[in-house]
Amino acid sequence: EAGVTQFPSHSVIEKGQTVTLRCDPISGHDNLYWYRRVMGKEIKFLLHFVKESKQDESGMPNNRFLAERTGGTYSTLKVQPAELEDSGVYFCASSRHTSGTKYYEQYFGPGTRLTVT
Amino acid sequence: QKEVEQNSGPLSVPEGAIASLNCTYSDRGSQSFFWYRQYSGKSPELIMFIYSNGDKEDGRFTAQLNKASQYVSLLIRDSQPSDSATYLCAPRGSNYKLTFGKGTLLTVNP
């Protein structure tokens, strides 16, 4: 079973530019999450999709961040316009929620390291 | 008070010893608890999870949970140099999101 994949692995952009990150969850996982780790801080939740619907976007920093999950498969996270403080590692995770389970364990992708200069 | 606090580390143990990693959390609504291992520059890798009070063993790993004390721990028996990594504690709330601690850096010395 293929794991969570993310693209690109690294991105360096200038302040004010736009960047789009992509995440492909594990096949069959309806739940998709975005997290971010900025330097020196803990990993922070950004948002949660169930299929194509946003279940929880309480962690999104501001309206420069836009996440989509068309068709309930892969997801994109767009930052427009990027600011210096957006630099960090963006992780995607996925989980499968089925009856009889209670853990809903999340599996993480390799992350995208974003550097805004 | 931070939402999730872990022993700050770094923690250094000799090969073959038991490594003990601790975590306290503030959200009493947390429903399950996850331990991730993260090697430098890599993504978090799920190694253990626990839902009920008590102990849960999986190979060399034992997770312990005490909801009344809002405390969860991870014991690694017979520590190996390959266990050297940062260990992240992550409670899951009722809304499914994980809240991470800063992690504890473990070094196992050969």
Side-chain angles (χ1 to χ4, degrees), chain A residues 33 35 37 40-45 48 56 58 91 97 102-111 113, chain B residues 3 32 34 36 38 41-44 46 49-52 56 88 92 95-102:
Chain A
Y33 311 79
Y35 292 84
R37 185 173 207 163
K41 303 287 187 180
E42 57 271 28
I43 297 172
K44 290 284 194 183
F45 168 83
H48 170 206
D56 180 357
S58 62
F91 292 107
H97 300 190
K102 53 192 175 187
Y103 291 104
Y104 310 131
E105 54 267 34
Q106 295 178 25
Y107 297 93
F108 279 70
R113 180 173 297 277
Chain B
E3 292 181 88
S32 49
F34 300 86
Y36 287 84
Q38 187 173 26
K42 301 295 185 182
S43 61
L46 181 63
F49 44 87
I50 188 167
Y51 178 84
S52 302
K56 181 184 178 187
L88 303 168
R92 179 184 68 78
N95 54 3
Y96 303 113
K97 74 178 186 182
L98 299 178
T99 301
F100 284 87
K102 275 196 163 186

Side-chain angles (χ1 to χ4, degrees), chain A residues 10-110:
Chain A
H10 292 87
S11 181
V12 181
I13 61 171
E14 293 183 354
K15 175 182 173 180
Q17 289 185 322
T18 297
V19 63
T20 300
L21 314 180
R22 172 169 170 150
C23 168
D24 287 77
I26 293 171
S27 177
H29 284 196
D30 286 341
N31 291 262
L32 187 149
Y33 311 79
W34 284 97
Y35 292 84
R36 176 174 75 170
R37 185 173 207 163
V38 297
M39 188 171 294
K41 303 287 187 180
E42 57 271 28
I43 297 172
K44 290 284 194 183
F45 168 83
L46 296 178
L47 88 160
H48 170 206
F49 283 100
V50 177
K51 296 185 180 178
E52 66 276 7
S53 299
K54 293 176 186 174
Q55 181 79 11
D56 180 357
E57 49 184 333
S58 62
M60 294 287 265
N62 50 61
N63 59 10
R64 295 185 294 102
F65 289 75
L66 175 63
E68 295 180 320
R69 193 182 181 196
T70 306
T73 55
Y74 69 92
S75 174
T76 58
L77 179 64
K78 180 190 288 189
V79 185
Q80 179 183 30
E83 298 288 345
L84 298 178
E85 63 264 25
D86 300 333
S87 295
V89 181
Y90 289 76
F91 292 107
C92 175
S94 71
S95 66
R96 177 167 54 192
H97 300 190
T98 57
S99 61
T101 64
K102 53 192 175 187
Y103 291 104
Y104 310 131
E105 54 267 34
Q106 295 178 25
Y107 297 93
F108 279 70

Side-chain angles (χ1 to χ4, degrees), chain B residues 8 22-24 28 30 34-35 37 40 45 57 90 98 101-103:
Chain B
S8 56
N22 304 315
C23 173
T24 58
R28 285 193 173 274
S30 298
F34 300 86
W35 283 98
R37 177 175 63 197
S40 181
E45 174 193 6
E57 187 174 319
L98 299 178
K102 275 196 163 186

